[in-house]
Amino acid sequence: MTQPTIAPYGSWKSPITSDLIVARSVALLQIALDGDGIYWIEQRPEEGGRNVIVRRTPDGQQQDVNRPPFNARTRVHEYGGGAFAVEGGTVYFSNFADQRLHRQDRGAAPQPLTPPIDLRYADGVIDRRRGRLIAVREDHTVAGREAVNTIASVDLEGDELGGTVLVGGNDFYSTPSLNLDGMRLAWLTWNHPHMPWDGNELWVAEFADDGSLRNATRVAGGGDESIFQPQWSPDGTLYFVSDRSGWWNLYRWRDGRSESLCEMAAEFGEPQWSFGRSTYAFESARYLLCTYRQRGVDRLARLDTELLTLETIDIPFSEISSLHATANQAVFIGGSATEPASVVRLDTATRRWEVLRRASDARVDAGYVSVPEPVEFPTEHGQTAFGFLYRPRNRDYVAPDGEKPPLLVKVHGGPTGATSPTLNLRIQYWTSRGFAVFDVNYGGSTGYGTAYRRRLNGQWGVVDVDDTVNGTRYLVERGEADSRRLAIDGGSAGGYTTLAVLTFRDLFNAGASHFGVSDLEALAKDTHKFESRYLDSMIGPYPERRDLYLARSPIHHTDRLAVPLILFQGLEDRVVPPNQAEMMFEAVKKKGLPCAYVPFEGEQHGFRKAENIKRSLDGELYFYSKVFGFELADRVEPVQIENL
């Protein structure tokens, strides 16, 4: 057996290249079931990030539904999701370029249903009785006015007006859900300044003979209760998830009252950053399949809705999303520490499962794969915070005696989000080259209960910074990393925490911000409707607490930043506009610090094109090689670094 080569951390040659990652990978989104057909969306970097609806036929064939240039992606709330619905083999989807709803019959070309005006649609459900689709509609037709969100119906044969409003008057709506006989509709709604995970309401109404709604009743929710995924069971009972107990647990509403089904210190729901999310589904009126999360790890279970007993199903997946079911099968997106996110089909009778589609076709030898270790660490005020540690791993290399690895700390976005232990080749890209990686779930992350999620309220830029710094120090003190080579990166809100840590704390030696926030005041003044009041709860009302916005904005305190920085930014980003990165770059360059700015034409919030994903990975590695002083095993395209 060949002995491993002795080489410094960071200089190891890895088979997990950026070309491998972008050429063999897709993002898997939204699942739908229709008869014997299974549908999902693949976001393909090699097609410029195009979202392709894929149909799997009963004989196992996989077919693309929407051919180029059609792109099944909605811009409602900018983050989208819930971009298609299917009934009887006919697919209805939102096309990204024009945001019009399209109908595509099997074997035919897509036909637009809505007019070419600035209306956007998401979360559609087919109303069979009335030949229409009921969806969340976002109206941008009046310039200078905040977008108007409603629940509207669209005629399936074409709708010249772009739909008829069924429910309106509030700031936001989501998750319209029809009962089986099509006579009742449930939905979620909320108003500024709340986000749906802060507080929202569940409503139910009946359909009148003319298709309008009547007798609307609030079932659950309020300013301090978050409701998730209302769904009707086959026997006509309304189920939903609520965090009224301090955890997102399952409930049902019948005979005019709500009852808890399975009270647990576990999360059966998720933050509604995008539409179309599903954490439970009905196998029958009696049996409900669900996924729940404890300490950052998901499990699949079966709930007996009569006996109220929960049986955990033994499958090797630690992250489960987009769960859907019929009488004999469950289909979901599942991943684990050694398997990438995949479309999985489970036979609910035999409990046998099969992978229908992997997010990555790349086969990587286990000798190059770092398996995450859950980490719990002490932080401020006697609290505990969480994360996952990935140690360097490459079967072909060992480091010289006594050398400790550089550590890359990754900060997830949201900030109300979470990281998971599912195999991610973008993390293995680093560990297989000799980096340790710490993926942190700071206070404010989901998956640890409502109180943990709300730790960030009023404290963004404080709690996330404290937890990131304390977790890193904990690992350094444990001997896991070289204290002289500590790097940090994050995207969006994670980019903000990255910049705040680098600016306000003296611990890290370099960092990378991917479309991150540098000026909180600018974000409060210039962002999309969904998040336009988010900072009220995360920092304080603006402009009343402008002092906090200025105090926590890295752009106003660049005199305290003293380490190299690289910034990556999409030039069509409406969530975090490019001027945020540009201002930060100019300020850091003026200070004489090594810095780089890499803008991407045609990218929005997050990078979807293969060449840009590759460029951001390789560019960040190149930057660290220069500032930390190690040789790269492979040649990558250089980044222009100012003040090097």
Side-chain angles (χ1 to χ4, degrees):
M1 184 175 178
T2 304
Q3 292 296 313
T5 301
I6 299 173
Y9 288 117
S11 67
W12 300 351
K13 186 174 181 63
S14 170
I16 306 173
T17 63
S18 58
D19 284 322
L20 177 78
I21 291 171
V22 300
R24 305 292 296 276
S25 298
V26 298
L28 296 171
L29 309 169
Q30 188 186 350
I31 286 173
L33 305 181
D34 177 49
D36 293 330
I38 299 172
Y39 295 76
W40 62 83
I41 284 181
E42 296 180 7
Q43 186 181 95
R44 298 175 179 171
E46 287 198 302
E47 296 187 36
R50 189 171 76 93
N51 282 11
V52 181
I53 303 168
V54 177
R55 176 177 183 260
R56 185 183 191 270
T57 61
D59 61 0
Q61 299 297 309
Q62 294 182 16
Q63 307 164 342
D64 288 359
V65 174
N66 55 311
R67 302 286 180 176
F70 291 97
N71 181 357
R73 181 178 158 210
T74 175
R75 289 189 62 184
V76 179
H77 292 181
E78 296 299 333
Y79 295 107
F84 80 98
V86 58
E87 170 88 358
T90 297
V91 176
Y92 305 88
F93 69 93
S94 177
N95 183 48
F96 181 69
D98 55 16
Q99 290 298 293
R100 299 169 76 183
L101 279 177
H102 286 68
R103 170 178 177 154
Q104 184 164 355
D105 296 309
R106 195 172 297 172
Q111 299 297 319
L113 296 180
T114 53
I117 56 178
D118 202 353
L119 297 171
R120 306 173 185 180
Y121 305 85
D123 243 6
V125 59
I126 307 298
D127 181 359
R128 302 183 192 94
R129 273 181 172 265
R130 303 165 188 87
R132 60 187 186 175
L133 180 140
I134 297 174
V136 175
R137 190 180 78 174
E138 193 171 75
D139 184 343
H140 292 257
T141 57
V142 179
R145 180 193 70 182
E146 184 177 68
V148 175
N149 293 64
T150 57
I151 292 178
S153 63
V154 175
D155 192 300
L156 295 181
E157 298 302 321
D159 198 316
E160 294 180 353
L161 299 177
T164 300
V165 173
L166 298 177
V167 185
N170 287 346
D171 291 321
F172 300 101
Y173 295 88
S174 77
T175 331
S177 178
L178 275 168
N179 69 340
L180 285 186
D181 67 9
M183 294 307 295
R184 290 193 291 175
L185 184 75
W187 67 89
L188 297 177
T189 184
W190 64 99
N191 285 304
H192 289 313
H194 288 109
M195 302 300 283
W197 50 84
D198 296 325
N200 58 4
E201 296 178 346
L202 169 58
W203 285 74
V204 173
E206 302 168 354
F207 283 106
D209 291 342
D210 64 358
S212 63
L213 290 171
R214 65 185 182 188
N215 300 330
T217 302
R218 184 172 69 86
V219 169
D224 199 42
E225 179 184 3
S226 173
I227 309 296
F228 175 81
Q229 194 190 339
Q231 187 169 329
W232 301 90
S233 75
D235 67 3
T237 302
L238 181 61
Y239 285 68
F240 60 95
V241 175
S242 167
D243 73 345
R244 63 181 63 170
S245 70
W247 296 84
W248 269 318
N249 281 186
L250 284 163
Y251 292 79
R252 67 183 167 204
W253 182 68
R254 61 182 182 181
D255 300 326
R257 65 184 185 88
S258 299
E259 59 179 315
S260 174
L261 302 180
C262 181
E263 192 164 313
M264 289 175 61
E267 301 279 49
F268 289 77
E270 304 172 335
Q272 295 179 69
W273 278 106
S274 57
F275 295 97
R277 293 172 178 258
S278 176
T279 61
Y280 70 93
F282 290 96
E283 182 182 345
S284 65
R286 178 166 181 174
Y287 293 108
L288 176 152
L289 295 170
C290 56
T291 178
Y292 64 90
R293 177 168 293 193
Q294 290 179 315
R295 295 189 178 274
V297 176
D298 289 343
R299 292 173 176 83
L300 183 68
R302 188 185 199 218
L303 177 70
D304 185 322
T305 64
E306 292 183 10
L307 300 179
L308 299 186
T309 55
L310 189 74
E311 173 200 5
T312 300
I313 299 174
D314 185 20
I315 55 173
F317 300 100
S318 53
E319 183 179 28
I320 302 167
S321 63
S322 198
L323 174 63
H324 294 264
T326 60
N328 57 6
Q329 69 175 354
V331 183
F332 55 87
I333 298 172
S336 71
T338 56
E339 286 292 326
S342 304
V343 177
V344 179
R345 179 188 178 275
L346 173 74
D347 185 307
T348 53
T350 65
R351 303 293 172 88
R352 293 177 180 170
W353 55 270
E354 61 176 323
V355 170
L356 306 183
R357 176 69 161 107
R358 285 181 168 82
S360 175
D361 291 331
R363 291 298 186 181
V364 179
D365 187 281
Y368 302 103
V369 175
S370 177
V371 175
E373 170 193 323
V375 175
E376 299 183 12
F377 58 91
T379 188
E380 304 301 308
H381 310 298
Q383 301 273 359
T384 298
F386 306 90
F388 296 98
L389 172 66
Y390 297 78
R391 291 187 172 87
R393 182 167 173 80
N394 185 317
R395 69 178 192 184
D396 302 324
Y397 292 92
V398 294
D401 287 344
E403 184 181 358
K404 293 179 180 178
L407 176 68
L408 176 60
V409 176
K410 301 191 79 66
V411 187
H412 68 71
T416 309
T419 188
S420 83
T422 291
L423 177 66
N424 182 342
L425 291 184
R426 298 189 200 183
I427 288 179
Q428 305 298 328
Y429 174 94
W430 295 98
T431 55
S432 61
R433 286 168 170 76
F435 275 74
V437 171
F438 181 45
D439 215 356
V440 62
N441 273 330
Y442 50 81
S445 303
T446 55
Y448 303 90
T450 305
Y452 193 81
R453 189 172 75 245
R454 291 180 178 173
R455 278 187 56 205
L456 212 54
N457 287 0
Q459 297 297 307
W460 193 31
V462 179
V463 165
D464 50 321
V465 169
D466 285 340
D467 289 357
T468 301
V469 168
N470 289 333
T472 304
R473 283 180 175 150
Y474 175 78
L475 294 177
V476 169
E477 290 167 2
R478 246 174 52 170
E480 303 285 359
D482 182 352
S483 62
R484 299 164 300 174
R485 293 186 294 174
L486 301 177
I488 181 172
D489 75 10
S492 189
Y496 165 69
T497 301
T498 292
L499 293 172
V501 166
L502 294 174
T503 301
F504 300 120
R505 301 300 177 86
D506 183 18
L507 177 65
F508 287 86
N509 312 105
S513 169
H514 298 250
F515 43 93
V517 178
S518 63
D519 186 339
L520 295 170
E521 184 177 32
L523 184 66
K525 291 179 176 179
D526 183 18
T527 192
H528 58 125
K529 179 184 177 181
F530 180 59
E531 290 185 270
S532 63
R533 300 289 300 279
Y534 187 24
L535 300 189
D536 284 29
S537 63
M538 303 300 287
I539 298 173
Y542 182 86
E544 293 87 343
R545 292 313 312 269
R546 182 171 181 262
D547 58 318
L548 292 178
Y549 286 73
L550 299 181
R552 297 183 195 172
S553 293
I555 191 64
H556 298 304
H557 304 277
T558 54
D559 58 305
R560 298 177 61 178
L561 195 152
V563 297
L565 175 66
I566 185 169
L567 303 110
F568 300 90
Q569 179 68 43
L571 293 181
E572 294 181 12
D573 193 339
R574 277 285 294 119
V575 179
V576 180
N579 64 325
Q580 296 262 331
E582 292 161 0
M583 289 188 299
M584 197 71 191
F585 172 65
E586 291 300 327
V588 175
K589 182 170 71 171
K590 191 174 181 180
K591 285 198 69 178
L593 294 169
C595 60
Y597 174 52
V598 184
F600 296 125
E601 294 278 357
E603 290 283 16
Q604 293 88 43
H605 197 63
F607 308 142
R608 294 171 173 82
K609 298 179 181 179
E611 63 271 22
N612 297 336
I613 296 170
K614 172 181 168 62
R615 179 66 167 150
S616 61
L617 271 170
D618 290 342
E620 187 173 344
L621 176 64
Y622 177 86
F623 186 75
Y624 295 149
S625 75
K626 293 303 180 184
V627 299
F628 288 157
F630 59 83
E631 294 294 326
L632 294 178
D634 298 297
R635 185 183 181 280
V636 301
E637 183 181 354
V639 170
Q640 181 177 343
I641 303 174
E642 305 290 338
N643 303 322
L644 189 58

